[in-house]
Amino acid sequence: MSTTSAVVKPVSLQGARLPKWAPWGVAAAATAVAVAIGLGTGLHSRVQWGLIASVLFVLGTYALSAKVEGRRQAKDRIATSLVWVAFLLAVVPLLSLVWETVVRGVKVLDGYFLTHSMGTVADAEPGGGIYHAILGTAQQVGLATLIAAPIGVLTAIYLVEYGRGALARAVTFFVDVMTGIPSIVAGLFILSLMLMFDLQPFGFAGSLALAILMLPVVVRSTEEMLKLVPNELREASLALGVPRWRTILKVVLPTAVGGITTGVMLAVARIAGESAPVLLLVFGNPFINANPFEGAQASLPLYIYQQYVNSAGSSAAYDRAWAAALTLIAFVMILNLVARGIARWKTPR
């Protein structure tokens, strides 16, 4: 008896797909068409060219994917394309801002600029430096962090670990309200206390206003990080007879220390660029004042504002303002890098 053997070909469940370079090709074609449209219609703004290219990229990706891969895969492609376009729309202004600050700021940024104050140099004259402003910003932001960080972390621990009932709801409500407080309102609050006690402008007053602005950010970020700690870790510690306070100290906080540190640094970045409270409470000082508890003091945001306002069209003042802005960006970036290093070092493996 003879049998015939049939060759059964495996059935592929995967349809036709675009090559990996297809999105890059569509992006290049969209860019070329957008440039041609911009030049042909007299659009001189490259932002408009970019928006046209973004629309063409999304439409071209959908059309090509729908023809080759089908409508279902085309919908996935268009969602991915929209995510990339949104990412680029967010990154391009940021990179443009950083690039503009670097290009304009490096003109006068040198060792002399970082180690000298304005002293007797007028705002419209060349020379001078920002040492007094760097010192003031470091002291004011540091004091504000020493005030707000412990209070914010402890408040978040209460809300997550102990908070129940009306008191916890009231604390949460006021934290939400404080999140939206304008910086000028915090400055006016501290200014009213200064007027009540007949106090003159000094650096610590600015630190108090900055601490008010920093506190809700620390509470909210720490609260979310503590909520991410698995309850199984708490239950295991409590099952061994460890007190709750010791469980929080030895288990919960070390587990969330990375996120807590990042939240604190975000709050520091939030207050490092505030100028309104400093203008009201610290008042500015062209000379070096290393005592934040007595006398007017400078800060980098206030220095930038004063150089721009009092420049009288002087290019030297504008250059100093851009250099101070670049220094402020570097200051915040260095703090974030240090915080991430500490968080990575302290996070349990």
Side-chain angles (χ1 to χ4, degrees):
M1 182 177 180
S2 63
T3 60
T4 59
S5 60
V7 178
V8 180
K9 295 182 178 180
V11 179
S12 176
L13 298 179
Q14 185 176 2
R17 294 186 63 84
L18 291 173
K20 293 183 179 181
W21 53 265
W24 297 101
V26 175
T31 303
V33 174
V35 172
I37 293 175
L39 294 175
T41 57
L43 298 176
H44 301 291
S45 175
R46 296 185 180 181
V47 175
Q48 295 174 326
W49 296 4
L51 293 177
I52 294 173
S54 300
V55 174
L56 293 177
F57 172 70
V58 173
L59 295 178
T61 301
Y62 178 78
L64 185 62
S65 178
K67 184 177 181 179
V68 176
E69 300 174 325
R71 288 180 174 271
R72 183 174 182 180
Q73 186 65 26
K75 293 179 181 179
D76 179 74
R77 292 275 187 180
I78 198 172
T80 306
S81 301
L82 289 174
V83 170
W84 275 104
V85 169
F87 170 75
L88 291 176
L89 290 177
V91 169
V92 168
L94 176 61
L95 294 179
S96 175
L97 174 63
V98 174
W99 175 256
E100 189 74 12
T101 305
V102 170
V103 170
R104 292 177 178 266
V106 295
K107 293 181 179 179
V108 296
L109 186 61
D110 53 19
Y112 180 88
F113 183 74
L114 296 174
T115 56
H116 287 74
S117 66
M118 289 301 293
T120 57
V121 179
D123 290 332
E125 297 177 354
I130 57 171
Y131 176 75
H132 60 303
I134 295 176
L135 181 63
T137 295
Q139 290 182 343
Q140 293 159 26
V141 173
L143 290 172
T145 304
L146 289 177
I147 296 171
I151 296 176
V153 172
L154 292 175
T155 302
I157 290 174
Y158 167 76
L159 292 176
V160 175
E161 304 294 337
Y162 298 99
R164 301 291 184 274
L167 180 59
R169 290 193 297 270
V171 172
T172 302
F173 172 76
F174 282 111
V175 168
D176 292 337
V177 171
M178 289 178 64
T179 304
I181 289 179
S183 59
I184 190 67
V185 175
L188 289 173
F189 172 70
I190 301 299
L191 180 62
S192 64
L193 297 179
M194 292 174 59
L195 295 176
M196 289 173 56
F197 295 100
D198 194 21
L199 298 175
Q200 298 298 318
F202 61 110
F204 185 66
S207 298
L208 293 176
L210 296 178
I212 294 175
L213 299 174
M214 183 179 179
L215 184 60
V217 181
V218 176
V219 174
R220 271 284 165 259
S221 59
T222 304
E223 186 179 0
E224 294 303 320
M225 290 301 105
L226 293 178
K227 289 179 180 179
L228 293 178
V229 178
N231 284 327
E232 288 78 4
L233 296 178
R234 297 181 177 89
E235 294 171 355
S237 178
L238 295 174
L240 295 174
V242 180
R244 178 178 288 272
W245 69 268
R246 195 171 183 85
T247 298
I248 296 171
L249 187 63
K250 296 294 185 180
V251 177
V252 178
L253 288 180
T255 304
V257 66
I260 294 174
T261 305
T262 302
V264 172
M265 296 315 302
L266 288 175
V268 170
R270 158 82 168 85
I271 65 173
E274 291 291 345
S275 59
V278 179
L279 179 62
L280 288 175
L281 307 172
V282 182
F283 206 67
N285 189 351
F287 296 93
I288 299 172
N289 179 14
N291 185 4
F293 299 99
E294 183 179 358
Q297 203 175 33
S299 73
L300 283 173
L302 183 57
Y303 178 90
I304 297 169
Y305 170 77
Q306 290 175 336
Q307 290 297 307
Y308 178 78
V309 171
N310 302 328
S311 62
S314 171
S315 60
Y318 285 140
D319 292 340
R320 285 194 296 264
W322 281 106
L326 179 58
T327 304
L328 182 59
I329 293 175
F331 176 76
V332 175
M333 183 184 68
I334 292 172
L335 286 179
N336 276 275
L337 292 176
V338 171
R340 289 181 180 274
I342 295 175
R344 184 182 295 273
W345 175 44
K346 289 293 185 180
T347 300
R349 303 300 179 186

